[in-house]
Structure formats: C-alpha cells, structure tokens
Amino acid sequence: MTDTPATGSVVELGPQVRSYEGGRILVGGAPPRLVRLGARAAALLRDRRLRLDGPASVRLAQRLVAIGMAHPVAASLPAADLADLTVLVPVRDRPGPLDRLLTALGGRVAVIVVDDGSRDPRAVARVVHGHGARLLALSENRGPSAARNAGLREVGTRFVAFVDSDIVVVPDTLAMLLRHFHDPQLAVVGPRILGLREGVTSDRGNWIARYEAARSSLDLHSHPALVHPHSRVPWLPSACLVARVDRLGGGFTESMRVAEDVDLVWRLAAGGDRIRYDPAASVRHDHRTGFAAWLGRKAYYGSGAHALAVRHGAAVAPATLTPWAAGLAVALLAQRRWSVPVAVAVLLAVARGYTRKIPAGTAEPRRLAATLTGLGVAATAEQTAGLLLRHWWPLSLAGCLVSSRVRRAVLVAAVADGVLDHRMRSPDLDPLRFVVARRLDDLAYGAGVWAGAWRGRSPRCLLPHVRRTPKGSG
C-alpha cells in the first residue's frame, strides 16, 4: 500500500469480495481473481478488516490493495493539511452555483476560479472577489480541459482538487480525500457524487430528478474501488476529483470537450499510477432534471466513446468477454433447440476448468468452481443486456422489426435489467417509471455513441473485446 505505512491504519475487503474456508480463499478484485492465503495470513483478517501493525500485515495489505481486493479506510490514515491543497474551479457564467460552492468552502482552502470566456465576466468576478478567491480570466471560451490546465499551471500546492461550479463540497470532505495520498503510488482519488436534492423530503423533484438521485451517470455507487479500465469503476468524473500535481504532467487533453476525465484516468493508470474511488467521502451535484437537458447530457456523454477508442483502443469496448462467455451469450440469444444443451455443455466445461485451477487442498473445489462459474454467468448476462439495450440498441431495434426471437430477448433483458437495478438501488421512484427512465438513459447514451462513431467514421467504440484467457487466476 505504501513504502512507509501508517502504524494502526486499516484496510478493508471490498463488499464484492467473497471469502471461503474461514478466509483462506478470497474471490474478487479488479479484475476478479482467486487468492489463497496461508493460515497465518488469513488470521490477520478480522471482520474483513486488516490492521497494519507489523511486517506480515503490511505485506498482506500491499498485496490485497494492489489487486483491488482491499481498500484503505481513510478515517484510519493520518490527518492531512488543507494548506497543501488548491481548489480549482472552471466556470463559464453560472455565478449563482459558483457562489454556492465558494460559500460551502468557507474560505478554509485556497481557491482559483478560471473564467472560461463568460458572457458576463463581471458577475463571475464579483462572486470570486466576494469570497476572497483568486480569479484567472481567459479571453475566450476554450473548453473545460483547457480551463483546468490554465489553472493547473498556477497551482503552487502539492495537491489540486478539480471541482465544477455545480458541485457542493465542504473542506472536511476534501481533507478526508487527502488522507489517501499517504499512498505514494496514488495519483488521483474521487468521492461519490450524489444529487443536491437527495435526502430532502420536501423537494423530491420530478421523476427524472428522483431517477438521477439513484442512478446519475456521475454516481459510481457505494462500493470503493481501484480505478482502471477493467475495474467495476473504470473512471472518475472531473466534476470533483483530487490529484497529486506532480503526477498530472500536461493535465487534461485540451482537444477533448467530453470524456477528458476518462482519458486522464486511463493515461495515469497505463503509466502505473494508482487511482482510487472512495464513496465514504461524498459531494453534491446539481443534476439536470429537465427532460430535454437530461437526455441531451446522456447523449453527450456517449459521444465521447469514439475519441476514447482512438486513444485507448479496447479499453473502451462496450463489453469484455472470455470466449466461453461470448459462446454462452450467442447460444442463449439464438433461442434454438440446441441453445440450452450447448449452454449447459459450456458451463460444465468452464466449471471443470475452474476445478482444475483451484489450489490443491481446498475443501470443496466443485462448490467453489460452481460459484465462480455463476459469477461469470452473471457478469456475462449484465454485459449482454448492456449491448442489447444501450450500445447496440439501433441493431436491436432493427432486429425487433423482423424477428420474434430478438423481440423476446430485448423484452426480457429490458424488464429484468430494470427490475434488478431498481431492487439494488431502492430509488424514491416506482419500478415502472424507474425502468422507463433507465431505458431512456440507455437510448440517449447509445445514440451518442453511434453519433460519435458516425462522425469518426469508425465502429471501433462499438466492438466488444474478447480476451483469450481469463485474467488473474491465482
């Protein structure tokens, strides 16, 4: 975890890590893998937590953190000094939200506001000067990436927090995120981004607002994660993230006005830096809740997929499948007489393969192999539904016009995916409207992906990636 770990600090197994045989076998991580621990190492884990109080616990923590199975508990790390941080806010007009953000910061941390060519720069300047912040005014609108980079060149502290003007964050949250930089490999950490109105019962908003409160594109859910293209949390939104200045190099790619945050995270990860998502720290975001603006924003996010495919290749693939998972999906989608027998044969072969790979001495290797196979099936179903309903929906729609099998597959996927998502997230919205909003979200995002692919004259961002061998066994 760190070259000089803090005595008494704690790491905790991620919620999605499964434990077998009294903690001696762990399954999870990013990407998922199986890890077998010796009896002494397993005994160091108590209630899924590991306290760093000796060389053995440090070595185990380093191993589990590096593969995304365990995550530092920020509250157990040494306190950080806000004097080491500068908050950088790119803004174009919107003096009201900017005033709300600066009020929340309360003058406890240095702030640079970059005015990215506002139509009314005086209104922005009044707010900035009224809060004692520093103003950097650009003569023309250059986009959020260029605005952040211009501000970054003025930062004199070790750390910088990129915060959009429609975010509300308090200094204590930023101080908690700074604790993670006790890890010298960490380049960036991001908090959970919740809705501004969430939890305010007197202002529940319309049904789009309530959907966004549960499933905003910026809310990366409640599980901590190591962030990289093959993780369940593959990116961090630049709406709010904290970074080590000397790891950012040239900063954001200025030619990108969308997905620039994904690009930055992936470049850093490819260079060996560590990026972390910590939902224990949260900020608030003023979500778009007007119907047209909401759909437009979803499509805008999708339009960045082509640029990411050009820069990062298969990392942006809408699905990453093993050959057996791809074969299983094709067999079941075909809905022929041979589909079920073929699917069963595939699953038996996969389970047998897992059984051979499970370390000798495991008490119930077949049961564990069946569990691993089931996890793979669930992941395959999730990704296949995403292809049908989100990334490939124009093809699904065309297929529905001519094939009852396609109609049946799309209907089952649309309902099952929506109902399971509703159950998992427990939104303040009935299942019917949640499922409708979920499908509209997919349609808008997918339309953006296809529009970007069309403009770029390349289908690369629409192609799934089939990897030849499963990663991270052992």
Side-chain angles (χ1 to χ4, degrees):
M1 183 178 68
T2 170
D3 296 330
T4 55
T7 301
S9 64
V10 175
V11 301
E12 184 174 26
L13 293 180
Q16 294 175 326
V17 174
R18 299 190 177 203
S19 173
Y20 302 91
E21 297 196 5
R24 286 181 295 169
I25 291 182
L26 304 177
V27 176
R33 68 192 71 204
L34 183 150
V35 170
R36 183 177 178 88
L37 303 179
R40 291 182 180 180
L44 295 173
L45 282 165
R46 298 185 179 91
D47 296 325
R48 300 177 64 85
R49 286 192 166 201
L50 173 65
R51 183 172 296 277
L52 279 66
D53 54 10
S57 61
V58 169
R59 287 193 298 271
L60 180 58
Q62 288 174 331
R63 181 185 181 191
L64 297 179
V65 167
I67 60 178
M69 274 195 175
H71 310 282
V73 177
S76 73
L77 295 169
D81 189 350
L82 284 174
D84 288 334
L85 178 71
T86 299
V87 174
L88 181 54
V89 185
V91 67
R92 189 182 188 205
D93 297 305
R94 300 200 292 187
L98 177 62
D99 180 65
R100 181 180 60 203
L101 167 61
L102 297 181
T103 298
L105 291 173
R108 291 176 53 195
V109 60
V111 179
I112 298 175
V113 176
V114 182
D115 185 343
D116 188 21
S118 290
R119 299 176 185 86
D120 185 4
R122 292 182 180 180
V124 171
R126 281 195 297 269
V127 171
V128 174
H129 296 319
H131 287 276
R134 180 182 172 188
L135 176 64
L136 176 63
L138 304 183
S139 59
E140 59 181 3
N141 175 246
R142 295 169 53 192
S145 293
R148 294 187 188 102
N149 288 348
L152 182 60
R153 289 190 286 270
E154 302 298 317
V155 171
T157 53
R158 295 170 57 205
F159 306 105
V160 60
F162 297 103
V163 183
D164 285 356
S165 61
D166 51 6
I167 289 286
V168 176
V169 57
V170 297
D172 288 348
T173 298
L174 297 174
M176 185 61 71
L177 291 171
L178 281 177
R179 293 183 180 217
H180 282 288
F181 290 99
H182 182 70
D183 177 357
Q185 288 183 257
L186 188 73
V188 176
V189 61
R192 187 176 186 184
I193 300 179
L194 300 172
L196 193 61
R197 297 180 178 87
E198 188 172 340
V200 181
T201 56
S202 61
D203 187 14
R204 297 166 65 209
N206 60 19
W207 64 290
I208 294 297
R210 281 178 274 162
Y211 171 81
E212 282 291 285
R215 216 188 191 288
S216 164
S217 300
L218 303 181
D219 182 359
L220 304 179
H221 209 35
S222 59
H223 297 163
L226 197 61
V227 181
H228 54 77
H230 304 294
S231 170
R232 289 190 67 87
V233 178
W235 68 293
L236 291 176
S238 55
C240 185
L241 53 82
V242 182
R244 197 186 298 269
V245 172
D246 62 7
R247 298 292 179 86
L248 294 178
F252 294 88
T253 301
E254 298 190 5
S255 61
M256 299 180 72
R257 286 191 173 232
V258 61
E260 76 283 356
D261 39 18
V262 186
D263 171 68
L264 175 67
V265 165
W266 288 358
R267 282 190 284 116
L268 292 173
D273 285 317
R274 192 172 287 165
I275 299 97
R276 183 164 300 288
Y277 171 62
D278 184 3
S282 64
V283 303
R284 299 286 174 170
H285 178 260
D286 195 1
H287 297 322
R288 286 172 171 82
T289 57
F291 187 71
W294 174 70
L295 284 179
R297 178 53 49 167
K298 300 294 184 179
Y300 183 67
Y301 289 152
S303 68
H306 169 71
L308 290 174
V310 171
R311 298 177 65 84
H312 300 281
V316 78
T320 300
L321 302 169
T322 57
W324 75 261
L328 178 67
V330 170
L332 293 178
L333 288 174
Q335 301 173 58
R336 303 288 183 176
R337 291 181 178 178
W338 49 264
S339 293
V340 171
V342 167
V344 170
V346 169
L347 294 178
L348 288 175
V350 171
R352 191 177 301 114
Y354 277 132
T355 301
R356 288 196 297 267
K357 292 180 180 179
I358 291 172
T362 302
E364 298 183 81
R366 291 183 179 179
R367 177 172 171 267
L368 181 54
T371 300
L372 295 173
T373 304
L375 293 173
V377 170
T380 300
E382 181 181 4
Q383 293 193 82
T384 303
L387 290 174
L388 288 175
L389 305 172
R390 189 170 178 86
H391 301 90
W392 290 358
W393 72 257
L395 299 180
S396 297
L397 177 60
C400 285
L401 297 177
V402 297
S403 170
S404 61
R405 289 187 176 90
V406 175
R407 289 194 292 271
R408 186 161 47 243
V410 169
L411 178 62
V412 170
V415 174
D417 173 81
V419 170
L420 290 173
D421 204 20
H422 183 274
R423 182 177 180 180
M424 180 178 69
R425 296 177 185 273
S426 301
D428 181 22
L429 188 65
D430 60 87
L432 177 60
R433 285 187 291 179
F434 180 87
V435 172
V436 169
R438 180 79 176 92
R439 299 287 71 89
L440 290 172
D441 184 336
D442 285 344
L443 291 174
Y445 181 88
V449 173
W450 280 76
W454 177 264
R455 286 193 296 268
R457 299 295 188 268
S458 171
R460 195 171 185 181
C461 62
L462 294 164
L463 302 178
H465 175 59
V466 178
R467 49 186 172 88
R468 293 187 177 182
T469 57
K471 290 189 176 183
S473 186

